[in-house]
Amino acid sequence: MCGLFGVVRSPFAADPGRASDVFVMLGALAEERGTDSAGLALIGAPPGLGGGGCRVVKGRGRFSGVWRPEFLSGLDRAAVAIGHTRWATQGSPAEAANASPMVVPGLSATVVGTHNGDIDVAGLRKRFAPPPASGATDSEPIFQLLAGRRAPAEITGVLQALVGRVALAWVERDRPTEVHLARGALSPLAMAVDTDQNIYWGSNPRWFREVERHTRVRFATVVLLREGTYLKVGMERRPGRRDLPEVLATADFVPTARDTDMDPRVWTGFTPADTAADQAGLLHHVVERAGGTGGLLTVA
């Protein structure tokens, strides 16, 4: 289990520091979902404001140990900030290539991405034959396959092929104001919009309630995404225009998990009420491991 969090910044927000405060607090809260390693990526600048680039910082241990106050000026300018805390499931936490956010090149695009979950990577490689990976995680092959896929049907074709627990957030480096979010089987992912129209995501909806208790930020909307949800959020780059972040595309897909994937640690840090509400709406299919019936069972 890992922690995902991030923000798409509104170029019209009166005080960029408020969204930055939320991002840093989400990182601290996400430590409950992993302390093997942590990292952040600061990507681009809002349309019309100049600047850009991509800075990725990651290291062993807690997010609070990786974060430095000197990152704040870059965070205030970034169009998108992506964060991750890792609870290692595949790949040694001692190897830097296994930490996230990952920068993964594809045939036509480079992706900066984060993943929470654990998938059948052998089955994925057998089906799609992605190029050799630089690390040993199940995350990198996912982003190799998603890189350069922009049509919702292409993206959900990959997402539907994933077997196991999965939630994802990724950005293409040449489209730094557009963020892709996906929740497959089990691994939770929530999205929130504050009153300045900044868009956030996080692995636990409780985190946004904690943010409201301890910062000046107020959220107009907080939604725990249903399994099988894909969203593209952010701003399309149009010459001479600055737009508010919004939902740019949506699609549904049928997620699949293994019969061993149901684990109470999926909801680490959740309140009992949030856990019960999410479990009541699970809709993934289940594939039994070798020795079972091999059929598909619907979880309702």
Side-chain angles (χ1 to χ4, degrees), residues 39-246:
L40 64 146
L42 308 179
I43 306 166
L49 298 186
C54 174
R55 182 181 186 185
V56 177
V57 180
K58 51 190 177 180
R60 295 282 305 272
R62 296 177 176 272
F63 178 81
S64 54
V66 173
W67 171 256
R68 296 287 184 272
E70 55 263 33
F71 301 154
L72 197 57
S73 61
L75 175 57
D76 284 347
R77 294 192 304 268
V80 170
I82 296 178
H84 186 267
T85 59
R86 185 172 186 231
W87 181 345
T89 55
Q90 297 188 40
S92 168
E95 298 294 330
N98 296 331
S100 289
M102 292 184 169
V103 180
V104 180
L107 293 177
S108 59
T110 296
V111 163
V112 183
T114 56
H115 167 217
N116 168 30
D118 180 87
I119 68 157
D120 175 12
V121 70
L124 190 69
R125 288 189 176 283
K126 183 176 181 180
R127 178 169 178 177
F128 288 98
S134 62
T137 72
D138 53 342
S139 306
E140 189 174 356
I142 298 173
F143 295 122
Q144 288 175 321
L145 295 173
L146 289 170
R149 298 180 191 264
R150 292 171 179 166
E154 292 181 318
I155 292 169
T156 55
V158 173
L159 297 175
Q160 191 154 304
L162 304 178
V163 178
R165 300 183 296 263
V166 60
L168 302 164
W170 75 97
V171 180
E172 290 190 359
R173 285 191 61 172
D174 63 348
R175 297 192 174 207
T177 61
E178 300 176 8
V179 177
H180 303 266
L181 303 173
R183 182 185 182 186
L186 292 167
S187 295
L189 188 63
M191 189 180 80
V193 182
D194 71 13
T195 53
D196 284 331
Q197 298 300 304
N198 300 299
I199 298 177
Y200 306 87
W201 62 94
S203 294
N204 188 337
R206 192 198 90 248
W207 297 347
F208 298 105
R209 299 194 291 271
E210 293 291 328
V211 166
E212 285 195 320
R213 288 180 56 199
H214 298 288
T215 73
R216 299 166 291 162
V217 172
R218 294 296 175 264
F219 296 105
T221 304
V222 178
V223 177
L224 183 58
L225 302 182
R226 288 175 62 86
E227 291 181 312
T229 299
Y230 161 73
L231 298 173
K232 181 170 74 171
V233 301
M235 301 158 285
E236 294 178 337
R237 284 191 173 270
R238 288 175 273 200
R241 290 188 56 174
R242 287 193 294 157
D243 296 322
L244 286 169
E246 60 182 338

